[in-house]
Structures are given as C-alpha cells and as structure tokens.
Amino acid sequence: MKRIDGIKVNSFLEIKASEKEIDGILEKTKQLKRLSVEESAKLLSVRSSALLKKIYDAASYVKNTVYGRRVVMFVPLYISNFCVNSCLYCGFASNNKLTVRKKLTFQEIKEQTEILLKRGHKRILMVAGEMSSSEENTDYYVGAVKAIYSADYKGNKIKRVNVNVAPMSLSGFKRLKEAGIGTYQIFQETYHEETYRKLHIAGAKSDPDNRLDAIDNAFKAGIDDVGIGPLLGLYDYRFEILAMLMHIEYMEKAYGVGPHTISVPRIEPAPGSAYASAPEYPFADEEFKKLVAVLRLSVPYTGIIMSTREAADMRDVLVNLGVSQVSAESRVTPGGYEDNSVGIPHNDKLERQFSVNDQRTLDEMVKSLLLQGFIPSFCAACYRKNRTGEHFMDFAKSGEIKHMCDINALVTLKEYLEDFAKPELKELGYSLIEKYKTKLDKAGLRVLEKFSNNISCGVRDEYI
Ligand code: SAM
Ligand code: SF4
C-alpha cells in the first residue's frame, strides 16, 4: 500500500469540535455506524470531563450492543526470542546482549501448549522474533502452528492459533493459512515515518513500507482476518490512532473488509532497552481510556484486544469501554509456562520481551469478568465455520452473530467451569449462565439447554 499521508494526519490533529458537534457524532454511533477519520479526530480532541463521560457511555452502549457481555480469552505463546532486527524498544533486539536466547523445538512448543490446555486455554497467540531468511521463518512458524494444533490434554485441543510474526512472502503466507492460522497480526509500531526509521535501525523491519505491505500480502494469500495496531509511546498517540484509522479505510477500500482486530499495546520496560524505560511520548491513563473508547465508536465491528501489558484495574475498566478480547497469565518468554512451579518471578527474567503488569491467573481473570457480569468466552466457532473476513462482518452487522455468540460463549464457559475452574468459581459462573439464559429467545434457549445437558453427560466442544 501507499504510505499513510502524514500531512493529512497532522491536519486532522488541528481539528476541534463544539459540544453540539460531539453530540451529533455520538448520536450517529448509536446506530452503530462507522465514523469518518475526521469525526474520530473530533472525538479524540475532547478534553472536558462532561463530554468524556458521554463518549464513555456511548462506547459502553456500542460494546454491549455489538458484543453483548462476551469477552474472548486468549493466551500468548512465545516460541523464539532470536531476532535479526534491532527495534530500540524491544528486549529481543539483536544488539541486546543481556537477553538469554531461546528457540523452542516443535516438541517443546507442544509441551508448552499442553501446559496451557491443562489450565483451560483454548486460543493461542503465537509470537516470535524474526530469523535471517524468509524460508527459515516460514518453515519454523508453520511447524510451530502444527505443533500447537497437535497438542492434546485429555481430549482438549487448541481451537484457534493466531500469530504475531514477521512479514512473509506471498507463498509463506499461503503456507501459514494452510496450516490453519486464525488471525495474522502485525503492528505497524508507528505510522510516523521519521520516528519509524529512527527506532528500527537494522534488519528487514527497518523498511516501513515492507511492514505496511505485509497486510496486503496476507490478504492476497487468502488470510482475511488480520490484526493491526500501533505501539503506543513511540510518537503522539493521536497521530497513531488517526493514521491507523486511515490504514483501515484503505483496507476496506482495497479488500472490502477492515482488520478483524485492533491492538493498542503501550510500551513497557524491557531488559536491555533504555528507550523502553523512558519512551519519548508517554501519555496519561485517562487519554488511554479515551482512545480505546474512540476506537470502539469509530469501528464498532472490529475486535479490540487488550494484553497484560496493562494493569489489572485498567483492564477491568477497558472491558466496559470497548475491549472484546483479553489475555491472561501471559509469559512473554519462550518456554515461559511452567507446570506447578513458582520459579523466578516473570518480570525478573532476562529472556522476557517486556514486563507484564496484569499477573492474574486465568481463573482470577475469569472471576473478575464474572463479577462484572461479563461472559468469559473460549469460543472459536466463527473461524471453524469459516465466518471470517467479509463473511464475519456480514454476520456481525446483521445482528445474527450476537445471538449465536452468546450461546457459544455460555457453552464454552460451562465447559471451563466443569473441567478447569476452582470450586469457588463454579458457583459464580453457573449463576451467571442462569442469568443469561433468561435473555435468550425460545430457540436459543433450546440449543443452550441441549448443549448444557450434553456437557453434563461428558460431551465437549459443541457450537453453532
Ligand atoms: N517480531 C515480530 C514483530 O516485531 O512484528 C512479532 C513479534 S513482536 C515480539 C510483537 C510486538 O511486541 C511488536 O510488534 C511490538 O509492538 C511489541 N513490543 C515490542 N517491544 C515492546 C515493549 N517494550 N513493550 C510493549 N510491547 C512491545
Ligand atoms: Fe524483533 Fe519483533 Fe522485537 Fe523488533 S519487536 S526486535 S522485530 S521481536
């Protein structure tokens, strides 16, 4: 794709809006209509707390209308921290002598996956550094995806593997698609070209255009669920958000569909990186909440992912403002999952990519969501039924998805409660399921009752 026009983005940053204009835009969001970049810029320019409250209320409304109370759970799996690039903010940078390097074998990847299956995880985000040749990357990533899908714990399997890995050739992407990946995720890091060149000083990643083209190549290879995002803290966050929205407009025009998910990672301290401890463009938590809410309103049907980079209290707030997927008990080191071992605290490990703030276990995360009335979901039915890309968006927009997804989410929650949850969590979860049953129509209730009874009889993994 063509580079994002920085001058145009800057012109959006000058925009201010009256209260009347903001009210008008928020009225439009109630009809779940996509916003223009200019409208999003107006929302981002808001500072008054009264108007911010209106934005938050609108974001909660859109979140609840499109996604119901579901929050999808996933866990990252780091497979290698060898990297040829030197991103100044990353613990895996090739010039970082402090990092202890590790590339997991396929057997080790399978074993790590089995540890995660044993805890109840069903969706994995596979993450890796970049190796020296495109073929080497592809062979390793494809083998790793297969190893993850081959893992088995008492009949439990991973349902969906998303990947966050280096750009590949068209044929490489095709092989990844054939291996059965869900989303291909790649962060542009910064859409500000000068900053990009300053922070990516070596390796294939030093070319910003190559990074942008990765999305096009993924689409051309038939991967229609892609995930994008900026790494916040490298440049003015407002520039990044508006440039990303322009990127989305481009994708919609070129491929008929925007990204499946957006991530908004904020930079965290990383071993050996002075830059990551003092990013050039830090910003306040209140601004972070605002940008998540504005994204929810700008692209109502695009999932928003919130990783454990953010602290527990912040994530608990953000699930109300638009976040639709959260990770739990993440380890950002290859081989970081240990079976029943306390070991060195994760944030002290030198092989980690960065520090993790939300350290809750999956059970604790599920509990926290249940207490807020959310349905933690382990579902991957859309991907398994080929409801991806444009088809997914058609379902999502017709409202059909909500009904199906609530049933699927409740079924996966019940399975989690039966098979993995601590006893005190079960009661909380079962009463939430009872509460949501009352919200289903007759046909929906019939399906849920049938699947629920089947779970009690030992049947697993049913979905619509
Ligand atoms: N190596 C591949 C790449 O860079 O695209 C994929 C994996 S990389 C480990 C995943 C993402 O981690 C990067 O795209 C970057 O946004 C993020 N990241 C790197 N350093 C970070 C830091 N110090 N704090 C938070 N996120 C960071
Ligand atoms: Fe390598 Fe990715 Fe880290 Fe850059 S962000 S050094 S490419 S692992």
Side-chain angles (χ1 to χ4, degrees):
M1 76 166 277
K2 259 199 355 247
R3 237 170 256 172
I4 302 288
D5 180 352
I7 296 174
K8 198 159 171 203
V9 184
N10 280 330
S11 73
F12 284 131
L13 289 180
E14 303 296 316
I15 292 178
K16 297 272 172 292
S18 66
E19 183 167 351
K20 200 168 154 219
E21 277 177 288
I22 297 296
D23 284 342
I25 297 170
L26 294 181
E27 206 43 52
K28 179 175 171 186
T29 64
K30 288 201 184 123
Q31 291 143 41
L32 309 179
K33 289 213 177 107
R34 171 104 170 61
L35 298 183
S36 68
V37 181
E38 189 177 336
E39 288 166 328
S40 303
K42 286 181 179 168
L43 293 185
L44 266 190
S45 75
V46 164
R47 284 176 179 273
S48 101
S49 44
L51 279 184
L52 269 179
K53 164 125 190 6
K54 284 189 187 177
I55 291 181
Y56 293 159
D57 289 347
S60 293
Y61 172 82
V62 169
K63 158 95 201 279
N64 283 329
T65 312
V66 175
Y67 293 87
R69 298 295 285 170
R70 285 170 282 113
V71 178
V72 168
M73 313 298 301
F74 75 96
V75 67
L77 177 59
Y78 277 62
I79 57 169
S80 168
N81 61 5
F82 279 92
C83 193
V84 289
N85 298 312
S86 290
C87 312
L88 294 191
Y89 44 80
C90 179
F92 297 169
S94 62
N95 55 354
N96 183 356
K97 300 282 173 279
L98 216 62
T99 294
V100 181
R101 304 283 166 176
K102 191 163 172 71
K103 178 182 170 192
L104 300 186
T105 62
F106 296 142
Q107 179 57 29
E108 285 170 327
I109 292 169
K110 194 170 167 218
E111 285 162 10
Q112 285 281 290
T113 308
E114 277 161 5
I115 294 175
L116 294 171
L117 284 167
K118 203 168 169 181
R119 297 177 190 180
H121 289 285
K122 295 283 193 277
R123 295 170 63 115
I124 277 183
L125 172 66
M126 184 184 99
V127 186
E130 182 165 358
M131 288 168 295
S132 50
S133 86
S134 177
E135 293 70 33
E136 197 186 346
N137 283 328
T138 309
D139 287 346
Y140 183 52
Y141 301 156
V142 167
V145 170
K146 289 182 179 162
I148 295 172
Y149 279 128
S150 76
D152 184 308
Y153 171 71
K154 293 189 179 169
N156 291 283
K157 311 276 285 179
I158 290 297
K159 297 177 183 174
R160 175 170 174 141
V161 183
N162 299 329
V163 300
N164 185 325
V165 296
M168 262 162 286
S169 63
L170 202 60
S171 59
F173 275 125
K174 282 188 181 151
R175 285 184 58 202
L176 254 195
K177 161 109 181 140
E178 277 158 25
I181 63 153
T183 306
Y184 173 66
Q185 196 180 72
I186 184 165
F187 303 152
Q188 186 59 27
E189 320 296 13
T190 172
Y191 286 94
H192 188 255
E193 198 191 329
E194 198 185 315
T195 305
Y196 190 102
R197 293 195 187 277
K198 196 173 79 186
L199 297 177
H200 302 97
I201 53 172
K205 193 167 165 182
S206 54
D207 178 357
D209 298 338
N210 184 36
R211 194 95 182 148
L212 281 173
D213 286 342
I215 297 287
D216 295 75
N217 285 334
F219 270 118
K220 285 174 193 157
I223 298 172
D224 51 4
D225 277 357
V226 300
I228 62 171
L231 178 58
L232 297 171
L234 307 182
Y235 190 63
D236 182 341
Y237 80 88
R238 297 169 311 148
F239 183 99
E240 304 292 13
I241 295 301
L242 297 172
M244 177 170 68
L245 289 170
M246 285 167 71
H247 190 180
I248 293 174
E249 277 188 346
Y250 160 80
M251 287 163 68
E252 287 169 340
K253 230 181 186 163
Y255 304 104
V257 66
H260 186 62
T261 54
I262 294 173
S263 301
V264 276
R266 277 202 285 187
I267 198 146
E268 285 299 323
S273 163
Y275 184 94
S277 300
E280 258 178 286
Y281 290 86
F283 56 95
D285 283 354
E286 204 52 46
E287 301 281 290
F288 188 58
K289 283 188 218 163
K290 177 171 75 176
L291 77 84
V292 171
V294 170
L295 281 174
R296 177 68 302 133
L297 296 170
S298 306
V299 281
Y301 295 99
T302 304
I304 301 181
I305 298 178
M306 194 55 58
S307 76
T308 54
R309 290 173 180 88
E310 294 301 325
D313 51 354
M314 175 58 93
R315 296 211 309 159
D316 287 349
V317 170
L318 294 174
V319 278
N320 289 288
L321 294 183
V323 165
S324 54
Q325 293 193 23
V326 295
S327 45
E329 59 190 357
S330 309
R331 295 287 176 264
V332 295
T333 65
Y337 297 106
E338 291 164 49
D339 218 358
N340 303 322
S341 148
V342 240
I344 308 172
H346 183 64
N347 281 347
D348 293 340
K349 290 197 170 170
L350 282 179
E351 59 271 44
R352 75 189 189 281
Q353 190 196 11
F354 50 80
S355 300
V356 161
N357 278 311
D358 187 346
Q359 309 248 8
R360 286 175 289 185
T361 62
L362 178 58
D363 232 39
E364 287 164 344
M365 192 67 215
V366 167
K367 182 174 178 190
S368 158
L369 289 169
L370 290 173
L371 286 173
Q372 289 200 75
F374 287 106
I375 312 169
S377 170
F378 298 84
C379 177
C382 282
Y383 152 78
R384 293 156 113 197
K385 291 220 163 197
N386 284 329
R387 295 190 292 258
T388 60
E390 221 175 328
H391 303 295
F392 171 80
M393 288 300 165
D394 288 346
F395 269 107
K397 288 177 188 166
S398 71
E400 212 175 321
I401 199 89
K402 187 178 162 194
H403 173 69
M404 281 190 318
C405 289
D406 280 347
I407 295 169
N408 285 336
L410 290 167
V411 169
T412 62
L413 173 61
K414 176 151 187 193
E415 288 181 354
Y416 176 79
L417 296 170
E418 294 268 319
D419 297 342
F420 304 102
K422 294 222 173 79
E424 62 269 25
L425 195 64
K426 290 186 197 262
E427 206 178 313
L428 196 62
Y430 291 137
S431 64
L432 184 116
I433 294 174
E434 286 306 314
K435 184 177 138 201
Y436 280 98
K437 266 186 186 171
T438 61
K439 299 185 194 297
L440 296 175
D441 59 18
K442 269 193 189 152
L445 188 60
R446 260 202 310 277
V447 178
L448 181 64
E449 294 281 3
K450 185 175 138 218
F451 286 174
S452 280
N453 291 338
N454 289 349
I455 292 174
S456 306
C457 299
V459 177
R460 293 290 179 272
D461 204 14
E462 289 191 297
Y463 55 91
I464 47 172

